[in-house]
Amino acid sequence: DVKVTQSSRYLVKRTGEKVFLECVQDMDHENMFWYRQDPGLGLRLIYFSYDVKMKEKGDIPEGYSVSREKKERFSLILESASTNQTSMYLCASSLLGSGANVLTFGAGSRLTVL
Amino acid sequence: SQQGEEDPQALSIQEGENATMNCSYKTSINNLQWYRQNSGRGLVHLILIRSNEREKHSGRLRVTLDTSKKSSSLLITASRAADTASYFCATDFDPGGFKTIFGAGTRLFVKA
């Protein structure tokens, strides 16, 4: 069963800590994405990557960075966590050139910043 | 942000009834997709409709697309308690197709 795996389902961090959210996919997809989901706001795109070592800003990149050193792995980094980054973080992947960006999502990582 | 907007925000129906959710968007699109999210989990892709299509079916799901009105609807027929979830429309509008934009979702509750 193909899937996207997010390493942590629940995290609690303190303000100012550096936070790593890891995502691995086993479908050999070229594209990978990080979204955050907040009540009433839907999903908002933070960053995406269409190839190894490539990254593009989404709609809300401020306060975040990403790393894609291998095709299957896409990491989201919060350099200095703040309380307004408390959220559900969703990783997704898709196949390049399929004509449509059909996303396969991980189960999500719920981050609480105290 | 060029976001889809779902209507209604929440919907409560009896098992066996049909559920209709609507989505409106702001700009021309390449494709429109619908996803389902069970509580606290990731999203699951349900169906995709391309901009040159008007209607698609998948099992108990029927999706329509009206590009002149920039709107889509998702109909779930003969709903079941297991259909209880949030439903999101998502639009691909940029030429590269990487920036899929989601609406805020419709929360559907199906009472047994």
Side-chain angles (χ1 to χ4, degrees), chain A residues 9 31 33 35 37 40-43 45 48 50 58-59 88 90 96 98-103 105-107, chain B residues 1 3 30-31 33 35 37 40-45 48 50 88 92 97-105:
Chain A
R9 288 282 285 130
N31 308 320
F33 305 82
Y35 287 86
Q37 182 179 23
L41 296 178
L43 279 72
L45 182 63
F48 65 96
Y50 53 88
D59 295 319
M88 169 73 99
L90 293 164
L96 182 68
S98 59
N101 197 33
V102 176
L103 298 166
F105 281 88
Chain B
S1 175
Q3 189 180 41
N30 299 324
N31 308 290
Q33 305 175 58
Y35 288 80
Q37 183 181 36
R41 308 296 295 182
L43 280 72
V44 174
H45 179 257
L48 175 144
R50 301 186 187 275
F88 296 85
D92 300 339
F98 297 128
K99 292 184 71 173
T100 300
I101 304 299
F102 287 80

Side-chain angles (χ1 to χ4, degrees), chain A residues 44-55:
Chain A
R44 293 179 290 167
L45 182 63
I46 305 171
Y47 268 98
F48 65 96
S49 169
Y50 53 88
D51 200 356
V52 175
K53 297 192 184 294
M54 303 301 291
K55 60 184 180 183

Side-chain angles (χ1 to χ4, degrees), chain A residues 70-88:
Chain A
K70 293 184 178 181
K71 188 176 184 179
E72 67 271 17
R73 188 180 297 271
F74 193 36
S75 302
L76 180 68
I77 304 155
L78 288 66
E79 293 289 341
S80 178
S82 63
T83 55
N84 63 12
Q85 293 178 309
T86 291
S87 188
M88 169 73 99

Side-chain angles (χ1 to χ4, degrees), chain B residues 21-91:
Chain B
M21 288 158 270
N22 303 297
C23 169
S24 60
Y25 55 91
K26 298 177 184 177
T27 66
S28 296
I29 60 172
N30 299 324
N31 308 290
L32 187 143
Q33 305 175 58
W34 286 90
Y35 288 80
R36 183 188 73 218
Q37 183 181 36
N38 291 93
S39 181
R41 308 296 295 182
L43 280 72
V44 174
H45 179 257
L46 293 176
I47 195 165
L48 175 144
I49 187 164
R50 301 186 187 275
S51 58
N52 62 353
E53 297 176 312
R54 292 297 168 258
E55 186 171 314
K56 283 192 80 170
H57 297 255
S58 177
R60 295 184 294 112
L61 305 181
R62 172 178 170 255
V63 170
T64 62
L65 179 64
D66 187 335
T67 53
S68 66
K69 296 181 179 178
K70 293 187 171 58
S71 66
S72 174
S73 66
L74 171 67
L75 168 68
I76 304 174
T77 59
S79 62
R80 306 166 182 168
D83 294 327
T84 294
S86 292
Y87 292 83
F88 296 85
C89 71
T91 51

